[in-house]
C-alpha cells in the first residue's frame, strides 16, 4: 500500500470470512454500497478517487457498483468471471437463474478498467477474464495483465511476482485522470 501511495479498505461480504449474515447476491450489493458510502463519508470525499478492486466473487459486486455509478475513478478485476452460471457451463439455457452478470454490466461502466487473470486458473477459467476485458468500452479499457504461469490465487507467488504486481497496479493508478 505504501509503495502505491493509496488507502485500502477491505471487508468481508455478508456470510463470508468473519462477517455474519447469509451470503446472497443481493447482500453483496448492499455490502459494497455500504462500504462505498463509508469511504465517501470518512476516507475521501471524491468518488473519482475511489478505485474498486474485485477478486473472483468480488468481481460481481464491483461490476454492479461500477455499472450503477458514473463517478468512480477506476476498477481492477482480478480473476473475474463473466457470470456466476458461466463458470459452471457456457450454455445459456439457465440464463434466467444466472447471478452476477458481469459480462452484461462491464459494457456499460464509465471508469477505466484493468483485468488481471492467471492463464492457468482452474477455478475461473482464463477465458472469463479475456472476455470481460474485450467487453470494456474501448476508451476505458486499460492494459490487462495475463499471467502465463499462475492460477487463481497465486499471481504474486514466486520470484519477482509481487514486484511485477505492484508495478502493474502503479501503472494503472498513475494513468487515471
Amino acid at each position: 500500500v505504501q509503495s502505491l501511495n493509496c488507502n485500502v479498505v477491505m471487508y468481508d461480504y455478508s456470510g463470508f470470512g468473519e462477517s455474519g449474515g447469509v451470503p446472497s447476491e443481493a447482500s453483496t450489493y448492499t455490502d459494497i454500497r455500504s462500504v462505498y458510502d463509508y469511504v465517501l463519508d470518512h476516507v475521501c470525499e471524491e468518488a473519482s478517487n475511489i478505485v474498486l478492486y474485485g477478486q473472483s466473487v468480488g468481481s460481481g459486486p464491483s461490476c454492479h457498483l461500477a455499472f450503477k455509478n458514473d463517478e468512480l475513478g477506476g476498477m481492477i478485476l482480478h480473476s473475474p468471471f463473466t457470470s456466476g452460471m458461466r463458470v459452471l457451463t457456457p450454455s445459456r439455457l439457465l440464463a434466467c437463474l444466472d447471478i452476477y452478470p458481469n459480462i452484461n454490466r462491464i459494457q456499460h461502466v464509465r471508469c477505466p478498467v484493468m483485468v488481471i487473470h492467471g492463464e492457468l486458473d482452474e477455478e475461473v477459467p482464463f477465458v472469463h477474464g479475456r472476455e470481460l476485458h474485450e467487453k470494456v468500452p474501448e476508451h476505458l479499457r486499460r492494459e490487462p495483465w495475463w499471467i502465463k504461469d499462475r492460477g487463481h490465487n497465486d499471481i504474486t507467488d514466486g520470484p519477482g511476482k509481487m514486484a511485477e504486481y505492484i508495478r502493474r497496479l502503479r501503472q494503472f493508478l498513475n494513468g487515471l485522470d
Side-chain angles (χ1 to χ4, degrees), residues 47-53 72-76 112 172-173 176:
S48 61
N49 290 328
I50 296 175
V51 176
L52 301 177
Y53 190 110
L72 291 169
M75 180 169 62
I76 299 169
F172 175 75
L173 295 172
L176 299 176

Side-chain angles (χ1 to χ4, degrees), residues 22-137:
V22 178
S24 72
E25 181 181 16
S27 69
T28 62
Y29 297 153
T30 300
D31 294 340
I32 196 168
R33 184 63 203 202
S34 296
V35 171
Y36 173 78
D37 290 342
Y38 173 87
V39 168
L40 281 178
D41 290 344
H42 301 285
V43 180
C44 71
E45 296 176 358
E46 298 291 327
S48 61
N49 290 328
I50 296 175
V51 176
L52 301 177
Y53 190 110
Q55 182 174 354
S56 194
V57 173
S59 67
S62 293
C63 282
H64 175 78
L65 185 59
F67 171 72
K68 297 276 188 183
N69 187 316
D70 60 356
E71 299 176 347
L72 291 169
M75 180 169 62
I76 299 169
L77 298 176
H78 173 162
S79 301
F81 48 76
T82 53
S83 77
M85 190 61 73
R86 292 177 195 199
V87 173
L88 303 174
T89 177
S91 171
R92 300 307 302 139
L93 292 175
L94 301 173
C96 62
L97 303 174
D98 208 355
I99 62 172
Y100 302 120
N102 296 342
I103 194 71
N104 300 331
R105 292 177 176 151
I106 198 79
Q107 301 172 64
H108 304 287
V109 300
R110 294 169 299 280
C111 64
V113 177
M114 175 188 184
V115 179
I116 300 169
H117 213 116
E119 292 184 12
L120 301 179
D121 194 332
E122 294 179 0
E123 294 177 50
V124 177
F126 169 68
V127 66
H128 286 257
R130 189 177 67 228
E131 287 179 9
L132 284 169
H133 172 73
E134 291 169 358
K135 292 290 185 178
V136 173

Side-chain angles (χ1 to χ4, degrees), residues 145 155-169:
W145 184 27
I155 66 163
T156 59
D157 293 353
K161 292 295 185 185
M162 180 58 82
E164 178 69 5
Y165 175 70
I166 298 296
R167 187 186 73 72
R168 300 278 184 148
L169 292 181

